[in-house]
Amino acid sequence: MPSFARSFNKTTLALATAAAASLALPSANAAEVEVLHWWTSGGEARAANVLKELMEAEGYGWEDFAVAGGGGETAMTVLKSRAMSGNPPSAAQIKGPEIQEWGELGLLGELDEVAEAEGWDELLPPTVAEVMRHDGSYVAVPVNVHRVNWLWANPEVLEAAGVEMPTTLDELFSAGEAIREAGYIPLAHGGQAWQDATVFETVLLATGGTEFYQQALVELDEEALGGEQMVEALETFKRLRELMDDDMSGRDWNIATSMVIEGTAGMQLMGDWAKGEFTAAGLTAGEDYLCAAAPGTQDAFTFNIDSLAMFRVEGEEREAQQALARLVLEPTFQEAFNLAKGSIPARPDLDMGEFDSCAQQSMQDFQRTAEEDGLVPSMAHGMAVRADVQGAIFDVVTNYFNSRDMAAEEAARRMVNAAQAAL
């Protein structure tokens, strides 16, 4: 049973389901959609506003329900509360396995009619389309594809330190030491559990490769979680702390990005939503900032797909909801949203001419790694495992990262226990 489904007792679930059915009743705001999301930073907010404007241009209302928090944990807590009270929004930013969890509760509405009319099966890569379906029906629509395993850098800081963009982990550590000696913070980071996990999964991918990543963070294989490769990944991950500053605790990811933008830090390991911050600051890729696959992960693509899942509604609200789903995949929104957000379109058929060099590289790498079995779902960003398993792994990773005494072997044992307890 899904993680949060366990917290629904029979009475609560019955009430939520009955209340969801009652949404068939018309209301004064029937032609309006309420959209819950966590696109709240500068670049993200601009991106979300594009969809609002497109909806309003077609005569539909948009009620924005933005909940701050880069990893989406707060937004999911709010959504679960709304669903338990029988008052979910029209659409919500839900992704990965959690789409299936909501589908199993019977609260999601299908989008097959609009999907067939718009040819989604032909437009979307199979990897993307599979995530959007529950029991064979589309229940969500993808707004983008993020690459998580990116390294961002300030070229002026690298030049001042006399280093090039690192392509291996050894080069990353060497460059970091040179950057510190030059008077800068080597690696900008925010001490939050999801950010720790983002860096961890990237290091694991670099040290173990895609097959090991799949075994450990997707299949939760106990030998992979507790073995020597995991210990090596954990030790390397812990070493990265030496490249970070002492004030990182609780720092939001976009503040860490701003440290690279402002030149107080040299580099950041973060998904390509960071590019939205560079764009919002008026900077040019390849000139004012640099991007590259995270050191050691050039042949892999850790993906995170943002999507809007649709809750069951009827009447004019359903009409507005269907319009929302259609607009999300139309070229106008896909291009405008992803240009602002830093990600790439969910549709690989779109012209990438207006996108910067980082995005063009991302699309090329996405298509190449898809053919070479190099695509892996991001554990840190809700694409690989259920929320309860993810939370258990987060606890181990961040506790180990912040502990002075915990050995990597102990963290690996806890990783195995966390997976066992959550299954």
Side-chain angles (χ1 to χ4, degrees), residues 285-298:
E287 297 178 14
D288 304 314
Y289 67 97
L290 304 177
C291 65
T297 70
Q298 289 83 349

Side-chain angles (χ1 to χ4, degrees), residues 131-407:
V131 179
M132 299 301 117
R133 298 191 187 99
H134 174 70
D135 280 350
S137 292
Y138 282 99
V139 293
V141 56
V143 299
N144 61 2
V145 174
H146 277 297
R147 186 181 198 174
V148 178
N149 56 315
W150 277 111
L151 178 70
W152 308 94
N154 183 310
E156 293 182 357
V157 174
L158 296 190
E159 183 178 357
V163 298
E164 301 289 333
M165 198 71 161
T167 59
T168 67
L169 287 174
D170 286 341
E171 290 178 4
L172 176 63
F173 285 110
S174 296
E177 290 305 317
I179 290 170
R180 173 176 284 114
E181 290 176 7
Y184 304 91
I185 298 167
L187 196 62
H189 182 65
Q192 298 173 336
W194 73 269
Q195 293 189 63
D196 293 342
T198 298
V199 174
F200 166 71
E201 72 176 15
T202 299
V203 171
L204 185 144
L205 184 61
T207 57
T210 55
E211 184 176 354
F212 176 67
Y213 181 103
Q214 190 79 21
Q215 291 171 345
L217 298 186
V218 181
E219 299 169 7
L220 302 176
D221 179 83
E222 292 185 14
E223 291 186 10
L225 286 170
E228 293 182 4
Q229 279 188 294
M230 177 61 72
V231 171
E232 178 190 355
L234 286 162
E235 289 176 340
T236 305
F237 168 58
K238 189 69 165 280
R239 281 183 62 200
L240 283 179
R241 190 177 177 85
E242 301 168 8
L243 303 182
M244 301 169 183
D245 65 301
D246 293 334
D247 298 324
M248 65 182 182
S249 179
R251 178 186 292 145
D252 288 335
W253 69 269
N254 53 310
I255 303 302
T257 305
S258 72
M259 293 167 62
V260 179
I261 292 173
E262 295 163 5
T264 59
M267 302 175 289
Q268 181 186 21
L269 287 166
M270 184 53 64
D272 57 16
W273 48 91
K275 187 157 65 69
E277 299 303 298
F278 289 104
T279 301
L283 303 184
T284 301
E287 297 178 14
D288 304 314
Y289 67 97
L290 304 177
C291 65
T297 70
Q298 289 83 349
D299 294 327
F301 190 113
T302 314
F303 66 85
N304 170 27
I305 302 173
D306 284 328
S307 53
L308 289 177
M310 305 297 171
F311 284 83
R312 287 195 300 153
V313 296
E314 299 294 341
E316 292 184 2
E317 187 177 356
R318 177 170 169 78
E319 178 187 329
Q321 186 187 69
Q322 299 276 309
L324 174 68
R326 169 175 53 80
L327 287 168
V328 164
L329 269 184
E330 287 189 351
T332 300
F333 173 71
Q334 284 285 313
E335 179 172 306
F337 182 91
N338 288 290
L339 282 170
K341 186 74 159 60
S343 44
I344 58 175
R347 298 174 45 164
D349 65 315
L350 297 185
D351 182 6
M352 296 291 288
E354 293 297 316
F355 286 79
D356 61 39
S357 56
C358 297
Q360 291 177 10
Q361 178 187 335
S362 187
M363 181 63 85
Q364 292 169 6
D365 289 351
F366 178 67
Q367 294 173 320
R368 173 178 58 84
T369 53
E371 296 172 357
E372 299 172 355
D373 294 327
L375 287 180
V376 292
S378 172
M379 178 280 297
H381 295 274
M383 300 301 302
V385 294
R386 295 193 324 254
D388 58 339
V389 182
Q390 180 198 50
I393 294 175
F394 274 21
D395 287 345
V396 175
V397 168
T398 202
N399 288 337
Y400 167 71
F401 196 56
N402 291 292
S403 170
R404 293 179 181 272
D405 305 320
M406 190 187 304

